[in-house]
Every structure is written in C-alpha cells, then in structure tokens.
Coordinates of all heavy atoms in Angstrom, one line a residue:
M1 N 102.0 -121.6 132.3 CA 101.6 -120.5 133.1 C 102.4 -120.6 134.4 O 102.2 -121.7 135.2 CB 100.0 -120.4 133.3 CG 99.7 -119.3 134.2 SD 97.8 -119.1 134.2 CE 97.4 -120.4 135.4
S2 N 103.0 -119.7 134.9 CA 103.7 -119.7 136.2 C 102.7 -119.3 137.2 O 102.0 -118.3 137.1 CB 104.8 -118.8 136.2 OG 105.4 -118.6 137.6
M3 N 102.5 -120.0 138.4 CA 101.6 -119.6 139.4 C 102.4 -119.6 140.7 O 102.9 -120.6 141.1 CB 100.5 -120.7 139.5 CG 99.6 -120.7 138.3 SD 98.0 -121.4 138.5 CE 98.4 -122.9 139.5
H4 N 102.4 -118.4 141.3 CA 103.0 -118.3 142.6 C 102.2 -118.8 143.7 O 100.9 -118.7 143.5 CB 103.4 -116.8 142.8 CG 104.4 -116.2 141.9 ND1 105.7 -116.5 141.9 CD2 104.1 -115.4 140.8 CE1 106.2 -115.9 140.9 NE2 105.3 -115.2 140.3
P5 N 102.6 -119.2 144.7 CA 101.8 -119.8 145.8 C 100.9 -118.7 146.3 O 101.2 -117.5 146.4 CB 102.8 -120.1 147.0 CG 104.1 -120.4 146.3 CD 104.1 -119.5 145.0
L6 N 99.6 -119.1 146.6 CA 98.5 -118.1 147.0 C 98.8 -117.7 148.3 O 98.4 -116.6 148.7 CB 97.2 -118.8 146.8 CG 96.0 -117.8 146.7 CD1 96.2 -116.8 145.6 CD2 94.7 -118.6 146.6
L7 N 99.3 -118.6 149.2 CA 99.6 -118.2 150.7 C 101.1 -118.1 150.8 O 101.9 -118.8 150.3 CB 99.0 -119.3 151.5 CG 97.4 -119.5 151.5 CD1 97.1 -120.6 152.5 CD2 96.8 -118.3 151.8
Q8 N 101.4 -117.2 151.7 CA 102.8 -117.1 152.1 C 102.9 -117.3 153.6 O 102.2 -116.7 154.4 CB 103.4 -115.7 151.8 CG 104.8 -115.5 151.9 CD 105.3 -114.2 151.3 OE1 104.7 -113.2 151.5 NE2 106.4 -114.2 150.7
R9 N 103.7 -118.3 153.9 CA 103.8 -118.8 155.3 C 104.5 -117.7 156.2 O 105.7 -117.4 155.9 CB 104.6 -120.1 155.4 CG 104.5 -120.8 156.7 CD 105.1 -122.2 156.7 NE 104.6 -123.0 155.6 CZ 103.5 -123.8 155.9 NH1 102.9 -123.8 157.1 NH2 103.1 -124.5 155.0
R10 N 104.0 -117.2 157.3 CA 104.5 -116.2 158.0 C 104.7 -116.6 159.5 O 105.5 -116.0 160.2 CB 103.7 -114.9 158.0 CG 103.5 -114.4 156.7 CD 104.1 -113.0 156.6 NE 103.8 -112.5 155.2 CZ 104.5 -111.6 154.7 NH1 105.5 -111.1 155.3 NH2 104.3 -111.2 153.5
Y11 N 104.0 -117.7 159.9 CA 104.0 -118.2 161.3 C 104.3 -119.6 161.3 O 104.0 -120.3 160.2 CB 102.7 -117.9 162.0 CG 102.3 -116.4 162.0 CD1 101.5 -115.9 161.0 CD2 102.8 -115.5 162.9 CE1 101.1 -114.5 161.0 CE2 102.5 -114.2 162.9 CZ 101.7 -113.7 161.9 OH 101.4 -112.4 162.0
R12 N 104.7 -120.1 162.5 CA 104.9 -121.6 162.7 C 106.1 -122.1 161.6 O 105.9 -123.2 161.2 CB 103.7 -122.3 162.5 CG 102.6 -122.0 163.5 CD 101.2 -122.7 163.3 NE 101.3 -123.9 162.8 CZ 100.9 -124.4 161.6 NH1 100.3 -123.5 160.8 NH2 101.1 -125.6 161.2
L13 N 106.9 -121.2 161.3 CA 108.0 -121.6 160.3 C 108.9 -122.8 160.9 O 109.5 -123.4 160.2 CB 108.9 -120.4 160.0 CG 108.1 -119.2 159.3 CD1 109.0 -118.0 159.1 CD2 107.5 -119.7 157.9
D14 N 108.9 -122.9 162.2 CA 109.8 -124.0 162.8 C 109.1 -125.2 163.1 O 109.6 -126.1 163.8 CB 110.5 -123.3 164.1 CG 109.6 -122.8 165.1 OD1 108.3 -122.7 164.7 OD2 110.0 -122.5 166.2
E15 N 107.7 -125.3 162.7 CA 107.1 -126.6 162.9 C 107.7 -127.7 162.1 O 108.3 -127.4 161.1 CB 105.5 -126.5 162.5 CG 104.7 -125.6 163.4 CD 104.5 -126.3 164.8 OE1 104.7 -127.5 164.9 OE2 104.2 -125.6 165.7
A16 N 107.5 -128.9 162.5 CA 108.1 -130.1 161.8 C 107.6 -130.2 160.3 O 106.4 -129.9 160.1 CB 107.8 -131.4 162.5
P17 N 108.5 -130.5 159.5 CA 108.0 -130.6 158.1 C 107.1 -131.8 157.8 O 107.4 -132.9 158.5 CB 109.3 -130.7 157.3 CG 110.4 -131.1 158.3 CD 109.9 -130.6 159.6
V18 N 106.2 -131.8 156.9 CA 105.3 -132.9 156.6 C 105.4 -133.0 155.1 O 104.9 -132.2 154.4 CB 103.9 -132.6 157.1 CG1 102.9 -133.8 156.6 CG2 103.8 -132.4 158.6
P19 N 106.0 -134.2 154.6 CA 106.0 -134.4 153.2 C 104.7 -134.8 152.6 O 104.0 -135.6 153.1 CB 107.2 -135.5 153.1 CG 107.0 -136.2 154.4 CD 106.6 -135.2 155.4
F20 N 104.5 -134.3 151.4 CA 103.3 -134.7 150.6 C 103.6 -134.5 149.1 O 104.7 -134.1 148.8 CB 102.1 -133.9 151.0 CG 102.0 -132.5 150.6 CD1 101.4 -132.0 149.5 CD2 102.7 -131.5 151.4 CE1 101.3 -130.7 149.1 CE2 102.7 -130.2 151.0 CZ 102.0 -129.7 149.9
V21 N 102.8 -135.1 148.4 CA 103.0 -135.1 146.8 C 101.8 -134.4 146.2 O 100.7 -134.6 146.5 CB 103.1 -136.5 146.3 CG1 103.2 -136.4 144.7 CG2 104.3 -137.2 147.0
L22 N 102.2 -133.3 145.3 CA 101.1 -132.6 144.7 C 101.4 -132.8 143.1 O 102.4 -132.3 142.5 CB 101.2 -131.2 145.0 CG 100.2 -130.2 144.4 CD1 98.8 -130.6 144.7 CD2 100.5 -128.8 144.8
N23 N 100.4 -133.5 142.4 CA 100.5 -133.7 141.0 C 101.9 -134.3 140.6 O 102.5 -133.9 139.7 CB 100.3 -132.5 140.3 CG 98.9 -131.9 140.6 OD1 97.9 -132.7 140.5 ND2 98.8 -130.7 140.8
G24 N 102.4 -135.3 141.5 CA 103.6 -136.0 141.2 C 104.8 -135.3 141.6 O 105.9 -135.9 141.5
T25 N 104.7 -134.1 142.2 CA 105.9 -133.4 142.7 C 106.0 -133.4 144.3 O 104.9 -133.1 144.9 CB 105.9 -131.9 142.2 OG1 105.9 -131.9 140.8 CG2 107.1 -131.1 142.8
A26 N 107.1 -133.8 144.8 CA 107.3 -133.8 146.3 C 107.3 -132.4 146.8 O 108.0 -131.5 146.2 CB 108.7 -134.5 146.6
E27 N 106.5 -132.2 147.8 CA 106.4 -130.9 148.5 C 106.4 -131.0 149.9 O 106.4 -132.2 150.4 CB 105.0 -130.2 148.1 CG 104.7 -130.0 146.6 CD 105.6 -128.9 146.1 OE1 106.4 -128.2 146.8 OE2 105.4 -128.6 144.9
T28 N 106.5 -130.0 150.7 CA 106.6 -130.1 152.1 C 105.6 -129.0 152.8 O 105.7 -127.9 152.4 CB 108.1 -129.7 152.6 OG1 108.9 -130.6 152.0 CG2 108.1 -129.9 154.2
G29 N 104.8 -129.5 153.7 CA 103.9 -128.7 154.5 C 104.5 -128.6 155.8 O 105.7 -129.0 156.1
R30 N 103.8 -128.2 156.8 CA 104.2 -128.1 158.2 C 103.1 -128.8 159.1 O 102.0 -128.8 158.9 CB 104.4 -126.6 158.7 CG 105.4 -125.8 157.9 CD 106.7 -126.3 158.4 NE 107.8 -125.6 157.6 CZ 109.0 -126.0 157.5 NH1 109.4 -126.9 158.2 NH2 109.9 -125.3 156.7
R31 N 103.7 -129.4 160.2 CA 102.8 -129.9 161.2 C 101.7 -129.0 161.6 O 102.0 -127.8 161.8 CB 103.6 -130.4 162.4 CG 102.7 -131.2 163.4 CD 103.5 -131.7 164.6 NE 104.2 -130.6 165.3 CZ 105.2 -130.7 166.1 NH1 105.6 -131.9 166.4 NH2 105.8 -129.7 166.6
G32 N 100.6 -129.4 161.6 CA 99.4 -128.5 162.0 C 98.7 -127.9 160.8 O 97.6 -127.2 161.0
D33 N 99.3 -128.1 159.6 CA 98.6 -127.5 158.4 C 97.4 -128.3 158.1 O 97.3 -129.5 158.3 CB 99.6 -127.7 157.1 CG 100.6 -126.6 157.0 OD1 100.6 -125.7 157.8 OD2 101.4 -126.8 156.1
T34 N 96.4 -127.6 157.5 CA 95.3 -128.3 156.9 C 95.8 -128.6 155.4 O 96.8 -128.1 155.0 CB 94.1 -127.5 156.7 OG1 94.3 -126.3 155.8 CG2 93.5 -127.0 158.0
V35 N 95.1 -129.5 154.7 CA 95.5 -129.8 153.4 C 95.4 -128.5 152.5 O 96.3 -128.3 151.6 CB 94.5 -130.9 152.8 CG1 94.7 -131.1 151.2 CG2 94.7 -132.2 153.5
L36 N 94.4 -127.7 152.7 CA 94.3 -126.4 152.0 C 95.5 -125.5 152.2 O 96.1 -125.0 151.3 CB 93.0 -125.7 152.4 CG 92.7 -124.5 151.6 CD1 91.2 -124.3 151.3 CD2 93.1 -123.2 152.4
T37 N 95.9 -125.4 153.4 CA 97.0 -124.5 153.8 C 98.3 -125.1 153.1 O 99.1 -124.3 152.5 CB 97.2 -124.4 155.3 OG1 96.1 -123.9 155.8 CG2 98.4 -123.6 155.6
A38 N 98.6 -126.3 153.2 CA 99.8 -127.0 152.6 C 99.8 -126.8 151.1 O 100.8 -126.3 150.6 CB 99.7 -128.5 152.9
I39 N 98.7 -127.0 150.4 CA 98.7 -126.9 149.0 C 98.8 -125.4 148.5 O 99.6 -125.1 147.7 CB 97.4 -127.5 148.4 CG1 97.4 -129.0 148.5 CG2 97.3 -127.1 146.8 CD1 96.2 -129.8 148.0
L40 N 98.1 -124.5 149.1 CA 98.2 -123.1 148.7 C 99.4 -122.5 149.2 O 99.8 -121.4 148.7 CB 97.0 -122.4 149.2 CG 95.6 -122.8 148.6 CD1 94.5 -121.8 149.2 CD2 95.6 -122.6 147.1
S41 N 100.2 -123.1 150.0 CA 101.5 -122.6 150.3 C 102.6 -122.9 149.3 O 103.7 -122.3 149.4 CB 102.0 -123.1 151.7 OG 101.1 -122.6 152.7
V42 N 102.2 -123.8 148.4 CA 103.2 -124.2 147.3 C 102.6 -124.0 145.9 O 103.3 -124.3 144.9 CB 103.6 -125.7 147.6 CG1 104.4 -125.8 148.8 CG2 102.5 -126.7 147.4
S43 N 101.3 -123.6 145.8 CA 100.6 -123.5 144.5 C 99.7 -122.3 144.5 O 99.2 -121.8 145.5 CB 99.7 -124.8 144.4 OG 99.0 -124.8 143.2
G44 N 99.4 -121.9 143.3 CA 98.6 -120.7 143.1 C 97.1 -121.1 143.0 O 96.2 -120.3 142.9
R45 N 96.8 -122.5 143.1 CA 95.4 -122.9 143.2 C 95.3 -124.1 144.0 O 96.2 -124.8 144.1 CB 94.9 -123.1 141.7 CG 95.5 -124.3 141.1 CD 94.9 -124.7 139.8 NE 95.6 -125.7 139.1 CZ 96.0 -125.7 137.9 NH1 95.9 -124.6 137.2 NH2 96.7 -126.7 137.3
L46 N 94.1 -124.3 144.5 CA 93.9 -125.6 145.3 C 93.5 -126.7 144.3 O 94.0 -127.8 144.5 CB 92.7 -125.4 146.2 CG 92.3 -126.5 147.1 CD1 93.4 -126.9 148.0 CD2 91.0 -126.2 147.9
R47 N 92.8 -126.4 143.3 CA 92.3 -127.4 142.3 C 91.7 -126.6 141.1 O 91.5 -125.4 141.2 CB 91.3 -128.3 142.9 CG 90.0 -127.7 143.3 CD 88.9 -128.6 143.8 NE 87.8 -128.0 144.1 CZ 86.7 -127.9 143.3 NH1 86.8 -128.4 142.0 NH2 85.6 -127.2 143.6
Q48 N 91.4 -127.4 140.1 CA 90.6 -126.8 138.9 C 89.2 -127.4 139.0 O 89.0 -128.6 139.4 CB 91.3 -127.3 137.6 CG 92.6 -126.6 137.3 CD 93.2 -127.1 136.0 OE1 93.6 -128.1 135.9 NE2 93.0 -126.2 134.9
S49 N 88.2 -126.6 138.7 CA 86.9 -127.0 138.7 C 86.6 -128.1 137.6 O 87.1 -127.9 136.5 CB 86.0 -125.9 138.4 OG 84.7 -126.3 138.1
E50 N 86.0 -129.1 138.0 CA 85.7 -130.2 137.1 C 84.7 -129.7 135.9 O 84.6 -130.3 134.9 CB 85.0 -131.4 137.7 CG 85.9 -132.1 138.8 CD 85.6 -131.5 140.2 OE1 85.4 -130.3 140.3 OE2 85.7 -132.3 141.2
F51 N 84.0 -128.6 136.2 CA 82.9 -128.2 135.3 C 83.4 -127.1 134.3 O 83.1 -127.0 133.2 CB 81.7 -127.7 136.1 CG 81.2 -128.7 137.0 CD1 81.4 -128.6 138.5 CD2 80.5 -129.9 136.6 CE1 81.0 -129.6 139.3 CE2 80.0 -130.8 137.4 CZ 80.2 -130.7 138.9
T52 N 84.2 -126.1 134.9 CA 84.7 -125.0 134.2 C 86.1 -125.0 133.8 O 86.6 -124.2 133.0 CB 84.3 -123.7 134.8 OG1 84.9 -123.6 136.1 CG2 82.7 -123.8 135.1
G53 N 86.9 -125.8 134.6 CA 88.4 -125.6 134.5 C 89.0 -124.5 135.2 O 90.2 -124.3 135.3
E54 N 88.1 -123.7 135.9 CA 88.6 -122.5 136.5 C 89.4 -122.9 137.8 O 89.2 -124.0 138.4 CB 87.5 -121.5 137.0 CG 86.8 -120.9 135.9 CD 85.6 -120.0 136.3 OE1 85.4 -120.0 137.6 OE2 85.0 -119.3 135.5
N55 N 90.4 -122.1 138.2 CA 91.1 -122.3 139.4 C 90.2 -122.1 140.5 O 89.5 -121.0 140.6 CB 92.3 -121.5 139.4 CG 93.3 -121.8 138.4 OD1 93.4 -122.9 137.8 ND2 94.2 -120.9 138.0
R56 N 90.4 -122.9 141.6 CA 89.6 -122.8 142.8 C 90.6 -122.8 144.0 O 91.6 -123.3 143.9 CB 88.5 -123.9 143.0 CG 87.6 -124.1 141.9 CD 86.8 -122.9 141.6 NE 86.0 -122.5 142.8 CZ 85.5 -121.3 142.9 NH1 85.5 -120.5 141.9 NH2 84.8 -121.0 144.1
A57 N 90.2 -122.0 145.1 CA 91.0 -121.9 146.3 C 90.3 -122.1 147.5 O 90.6 -121.7 148.6 CB 91.8 -120.7 146.3
G58 N 89.1 -122.8 147.4 CA 88.2 -122.8 148.5 C 87.3 -121.6 148.5 O 87.6 -120.7 147.9
F59 N 86.3 -121.7 149.4 CA 85.4 -120.5 149.5 C 85.2 -120.1 151.0 O 85.6 -119.1 151.4 CB 84.1 -120.7 148.8 CG 83.2 -119.6 148.8 CD1 83.5 -118.5 148.2 CD2 82.0 -119.6 149.5 CE1 82.5 -117.3 148.1 CE2 81.2 -118.6 149.6 CZ 81.4 -117.5 148.8
C60 N 84.5 -121.0 151.7 CA 84.1 -120.6 153.1 C 85.2 -120.8 154.1 O 85.3 -120.2 155.1 CB 82.9 -121.4 153.5 SG 83.2 -123.1 153.8
L61 N 86.1 -121.8 153.9 CA 87.2 -122.2 154.8 C 86.8 -122.7 156.1 O 87.6 -122.6 157.0 CB 88.2 -121.0 154.8 CG 88.7 -120.4 153.6 CD1 89.7 -119.3 153.8 CD2 89.3 -121.5 152.6
I62 N 85.6 -123.0 156.3 CA 85.0 -123.5 157.5 C 84.3 -124.9 157.4 O 83.6 -125.2 158.2 CB 84.1 -122.5 158.2 CG1 82.9 -122.2 157.4 CG2 85.0 -121.3 158.6 CD1 81.9 -121.3 158.2
G63 N 84.5 -125.5 156.3 CA 83.8 -126.8 156.0 C 82.4 -126.8 155.7 O 81.7 -127.8 155.9
A64 N 81.9 -125.7 155.2 CA 80.5 -125.7 154.9 C 80.2 -125.7 153.4 O 79.0 -126.1 153.0 CB 79.8 -124.4 155.5
C65 N 81.0 -125.3 152.5 CA 80.6 -125.0 151.1 C 81.0 -126.2 150.1 O 80.4 -126.2 149.1 CB 81.2 -123.8 150.7 SG 83.0 -123.8 150.2
Q66 N 81.9 -127.0 150.5 CA 82.4 -128.2 149.6 C 83.1 -127.7 148.4 O 83.4 -128.4 147.5 CB 81.2 -129.0 149.3 CG 80.5 -129.5 150.5 CD 79.4 -130.5 150.1 OE1 79.4 -131.1 149.0 NE2 78.6 -130.8 151.0
D67 N 83.5 -126.4 148.4 CA 84.4 -125.9 147.2 C 85.8 -126.5 147.2 O 86.5 -126.2 146.2 CB 84.3 -124.4 147.2 CG 85.0 -123.9 145.9 OD1 84.5 -124.3 144.8 OD2 85.9 -123.0 146.0
C68 N 86.2 -126.9 148.3 CA 87.6 -127.3 148.5 C 88.0 -128.8 148.4 O 89.0 -129.2 148.7 CB 88.2 -126.8 149.9 SG 87.4 -127.6 151.2
Y69 N 87.0 -129.6 147.9 CA 87.3 -131.1 147.8 C 88.5 -131.2 146.9 O 88.5 -130.7 145.8 CB 86.1 -131.9 147.3 CG 85.2 -132.3 148.5 CD1 84.1 -131.7 148.8 CD2 85.6 -133.5 149.2 CE1 83.2 -132.0 149.8 CE2 84.8 -133.9 150.2 CZ 83.6 -133.1 150.5 OH 82.8 -133.7 151.5
V70 N 89.5 -132.0 147.2 CA 90.6 -132.4 146.4 C 90.7 -133.9 146.3 O 90.4 -134.6 147.3 CB 92.0 -131.8 146.9 CG1 91.9 -130.2 146.8 CG2 92.3 -132.2 148.3
M71 N 91.2 -134.4 145.2 CA 91.3 -135.8 145.0 C 92.7 -136.3 145.5 O 93.7 -135.6 145.2 CB 91.1 -136.1 143.5 CG 91.3 -137.6 143.2 SD 91.1 -137.9 141.4 CE 89.4 -137.7 141.2
L72 N 92.7 -137.5 146.1 CA 94.0 -138.1 146.5 C 94.2 -139.1 145.3 O 93.4 -139.4 144.5 CB 93.8 -138.9 147.8 CG 93.9 -137.9 149.0 CD1 92.5 -137.5 149.4 CD2 94.7 -138.5 150.1
A73 N 95.5 -139.5 145.3 CA 96.0 -140.4 144.2 C 95.2 -141.7 144.2 O 95.1 -142.3 143.1 CB 97.5 -140.7 144.4
D74 N 94.6 -142.1 145.3 CA 93.8 -143.3 145.3 C 92.3 -143.1 144.8 O 91.5 -144.0 144.9 CB 93.8 -144.0 146.7 CG 93.1 -143.2 147.7 OD1 92.5 -142.1 147.4 OD2 93.1 -143.7 148.9
G75 N 92.0 -141.9 144.5 CA 90.8 -141.6 143.9 C 89.7 -141.1 144.9 O 88.6 -140.6 144.6
S76 N 90.1 -141.3 146.2 CA 89.2 -140.7 147.3 C 89.3 -139.2 147.3 O 90.2 -138.6 146.6 CB 89.5 -141.3 148.6 OG 90.8 -140.9 149.0
R77 N 88.4 -138.5 148.0 CA 88.4 -137.1 148.1 C 88.4 -136.7 149.6 O 87.8 -137.3 150.4 CB 87.2 -136.4 147.4 CG 87.3 -136.6 145.9 CD 86.0 -136.0 145.2 NE 86.1 -136.2 143.7 CZ 86.5 -135.3 142.8 NH1 86.8 -134.1 143.3 NH2 86.5 -135.6 141.6
V78 N 89.0 -135.5 149.8 CA 89.0 -135.0 151.2 C 88.6 -133.5 151.1 O 88.9 -132.8 150.0 CB 90.4 -135.0 151.9 CG1 90.6 -136.6 152.2 CG2 91.5 -134.4 151.1
R79 N 88.0 -133.0 152.1 CA 87.7 -131.5 152.2 C 88.9 -130.8 152.7 O 89.3 -131.0 153.9 CB 86.5 -131.4 153.1 CG 85.9 -130.0 153.2 CD 84.7 -129.8 154.1 NE 83.6 -130.5 153.4 CZ 82.4 -130.8 154.0 NH1 82.3 -130.4 155.2 NH2 81.4 -131.4 153.4
A80 N 89.5 -130.1 151.9 CA 90.9 -129.6 152.2 C 90.9 -128.7 153.3 O 92.0 -128.6 154.0 CB 91.5 -128.9 150.9
C81 N 89.9 -127.9 153.5 CA 90.0 -126.8 154.5 C 89.8 -127.4 155.9 O 90.1 -126.8 157.0 CB 88.9 -125.7 154.4 SG 87.2 -126.3 154.6
S82 N 89.3 -128.6 156.0 CA 89.0 -129.3 157.3 C 89.7 -130.6 157.5 O 89.3 -131.3 158.4 CB 87.5 -129.3 157.7 OG 86.9 -130.1 156.6
T83 N 90.7 -130.8 156.7 CA 91.4 -132.1 156.8 C 92.9 -131.9 157.2 O 93.5 -131.0 156.5 CB 91.3 -132.9 155.5 OG1 90.0 -133.2 155.2 CG2 92.1 -134.2 155.6
A84 N 93.4 -132.4 158.2 CA 94.8 -132.2 158.6 C 95.7 -133.0 157.7 O 95.5 -134.0 157.2 CB 95.0 -132.8 159.9
L85 N 96.8 -132.3 157.2 CA 97.8 -132.8 156.4 C 98.5 -134.0 157.1 O 98.9 -133.9 158.2 CB 98.8 -131.8 155.9 CG 99.9 -132.3 155.0 CD1 99.3 -132.6 153.6 CD2 101.0 -131.2 154.9
Q86 N 98.6 -135.1 156.5 CA 99.3 -136.3 157.0 C 100.5 -136.6 156.1 O 100.4 -136.4 154.9 CB 98.4 -137.5 157.0 CG 97.1 -137.3 157.9 CD 97.4 -137.1 159.3 OE1 98.3 -137.7 159.8 NE2 96.7 -136.2 160.0
P87 N 101.5 -137.1 156.7 CA 102.8 -137.4 155.9 C 102.4 -138.4 154.8 O 101.7 -139.4 155.1 CB 103.8 -138.0 156.9 CG 103.3 -137.5 158.2 CD 101.8 -137.3 158.1
G88 N 102.9 -138.1 153.6 CA 102.8 -139.1 152.5 C 101.4 -138.9 151.7 O 101.3 -139.7 150.8
M89 N 100.6 -138.0 152.1 CA 99.4 -137.8 151.3 C 99.8 -137.4 149.9 O 100.8 -136.7 149.7 CB 98.5 -136.7 151.9 CG 97.7 -137.1 153.1 SD 96.7 -135.8 153.7 CE 95.1 -136.5 154.0
A90 N 99.0 -137.8 148.9 CA 99.4 -137.5 147.4 C 98.1 -137.0 146.9 O 97.1 -137.7 146.8 CB 99.9 -138.8 146.7
F91 N 98.2 -135.8 146.2 CA 97.0 -135.1 145.7 C 97.1 -134.9 144.3 O 98.2 -134.8 143.7 CB 96.8 -133.7 146.4 CG 96.7 -133.7 147.9 CD1 97.9 -133.4 148.6 CD2 95.7 -134.2 148.5 CE1 97.9 -133.6 150.0 CE2 95.5 -134.2 149.9 CZ 96.6 -133.9 150.7
I92 N 95.9 -135.0 143.6 CA 95.9 -134.7 142.2 C 94.9 -133.6 142.0 O 93.7 -133.7 142.3 CB 95.4 -135.9 141.3 CG1 96.3 -137.2 141.6 CG2 95.2 -135.6 139.9 CD1 95.8 -138.5 141.0
T93 N 95.4 -132.4 141.5 CA 94.5 -131.3 141.4 C 94.5 -130.7 140.1 O 93.7 -129.8 139.8 CB 95.1 -130.2 142.4 OG1 96.4 -129.8 142.0 CG2 95.1 -130.6 143.9
D94 N 95.2 -131.3 139.1 CA 95.1 -130.8 137.7 C 94.1 -131.6 136.9 O 93.9 -132.9 137.1 CB 96.4 -131.1 136.9 CG 97.5 -130.1 137.4 OD1 97.1 -129.0 137.9 OD2 98.7 -130.5 137.3
L95 N 93.3 -130.9 136.1 CA 92.1 -131.6 135.4 C 92.5 -132.8 134.6 O 91.9 -133.8 134.7 CB 91.4 -130.5 134.5 CG 90.3 -129.9 135.1 CD1 89.6 -128.9 134.0 CD2 89.2 -130.8 135.8
G96 N 93.6 -132.7 133.9 CA 94.0 -133.9 133.1 C 94.3 -135.0 133.9 O 93.9 -136.2 133.6
A97 N 95.1 -134.8 134.9 CA 95.5 -135.9 135.7 C 94.3 -136.5 136.5 O 94.3 -137.7 136.7 CB 96.5 -135.4 136.8
M98 N 93.3 -135.6 136.9 CA 92.1 -136.2 137.5 C 91.3 -137.1 136.6 O 90.8 -138.1 137.0 CB 91.2 -135.0 137.9 CG 91.5 -134.3 139.2 SD 90.1 -133.2 139.7 CE 90.8 -131.7 139.2
A99 N 91.1 -136.7 135.3 CA 90.5 -137.5 134.4 C 91.1 -138.9 134.2 O 90.5 -139.9 134.2 CB 90.3 -136.8 133.0
E100 N 92.4 -138.9 134.1 CA 93.2 -140.1 134.0 C 93.0 -141.0 135.2 O 92.8 -142.2 135.0 CB 94.7 -139.8 133.8 CG 95.1 -139.3 132.5 CD 96.5 -139.0 132.3 OE1 97.3 -139.6 133.2 OE2 96.9 -138.1 131.5
A101 N 93.0 -140.4 136.4 CA 92.9 -141.1 137.7 C 91.5 -141.8 137.7 O 91.3 -142.9 138.1 CB 93.1 -140.2 138.9
V102 N 90.4 -141.1 137.3 CA 89.1 -141.6 137.4 C 88.8 -142.7 136.4 O 88.2 -143.6 136.7 CB 88.1 -140.4 137.1 CG1 86.7 -141.0 136.9 CG2 88.1 -139.4 138.2
H103 N 89.5 -142.6 135.3 CA 89.3 -143.7 134.2 C 90.2 -144.8 134.3 O 90.1 -145.8 133.6 CB 89.4 -143.0 132.9 CG 88.4 -142.0 132.5 ND1 86.9 -142.5 132.4 CD2 88.3 -140.7 132.4 CE1 86.2 -141.4 132.3 NE2 87.0 -140.3 132.3
E104 N 91.1 -144.8 135.3 CA 92.0 -146.0 135.5 C 91.3 -147.2 136.1 O 90.4 -147.1 136.8 CB 93.2 -145.6 136.4 CG 94.3 -144.8 135.5 CD 95.4 -144.4 136.3 OE1 95.5 -144.7 137.5 OE2 96.3 -143.8 135.8
Ligands
LIG201 S1 86.3 -124.1 151.6 FE1 84.1 -124.4 152.0 S2 84.1 -126.5 152.7 FE2 86.2 -126.1 152.5

C-alpha cells in the first residue's frame, strides 16, 4: 500500500536538516520539528495501533492524549507531539517490527 506523507512542509524549508531513521529507512526532518512533524512529513501514518493495527496520526497534538507514543529502536517510547526531533533518532512504527523489537 502506497502512503503519501500526511503533512506537506510549507514553512521553514531552509531550516537545517536533521537525519533520522524510520523503520530502517534514512529520512530527513528539519531543525525545530517535533517527532510527529518529522514522521508525518515523510509517512502517511505516525504508527499502527498495537490493539487494532489501525493507522494513527496523533489526536490532541498538545501532549494530553498519549495517542502519539512511538517506539525508538532501543525499545523506549516518546510522545511524538511534544518531543523534539534529535539527529540520529531511530523509530519503529510498523506493527511487525515493533513485535520483533519487544521480543528481542
Ligand atoms: S497527540 Fe495527544 S499526546 Fe501527542
């Protein structure tokens, strides 16, 4: 299934690039991005629900609902809407890859 990015970057196009990894693929965000902004600028979903498999993209976007938690490659989780993107962050947002990471 092809998924176009959910967000289209229109402002701050000249901010410094910030490299990150999404499900094993090298991607680039911009300085000042939240994790949510960076992921949705390159993907049609933020993550898949662990319970239903449905695509999620966050809900409140103000740090209140916890719908935007994403897993990092080390197994820790961050709230994507209120976490600043840092160079080198690696995210796992596909259900299959999440299950493998948890059982390693
Ligand atoms: S979208 Fe609600 S806490 Fe991040």
Side-chain angles (χ1 to χ4, degrees):
M1 176 172 81
S2 173
M3 293 199 318
H4 297 285
L6 201 58
L7 299 180
Q8 192 168 43
R9 193 177 300 278
R10 302 244 181 201
Y11 301 98
R12 300 176 33 246
L13 299 173
D14 55 351
E15 288 288 345
V18 177
F20 68 100
V21 177
L22 181 61
N23 299 312
T25 300
E27 301 286 1
T28 304
R30 295 286 175 195
R31 183 175 59 193
D33 280 357
T34 64
V35 169
L36 182 140
T37 301
I39 291 177
L40 291 182
S41 293
V42 298
S43 174
R45 68 174 173 233
L46 181 63
R47 64 181 182 90
Q48 288 180 285
S49 166
E50 300 91 328
F51 306 106
T52 65
E54 292 179 356
N55 294 337
R56 304 300 303 165
F59 181 71
C60 73
L61 308 183
I62 58 170
C65 76
Q66 304 184 18
D67 188 54
C68 66
Y69 271 99
V70 293
M71 180 183 287
L72 284 96
D74 67 3
S76 64
R77 291 178 182 261
V78 295
R79 191 176 286 172
C81 73
S82 58
T83 301
L85 180 69
Q86 300 295 324
M89 286 179 135
F91 305 101
I92 299 173
T93 63
D94 288 335
L95 266 184
M98 275 192 263
E100 287 178 23
V102 167
H103 294 295
E104 285 182 355

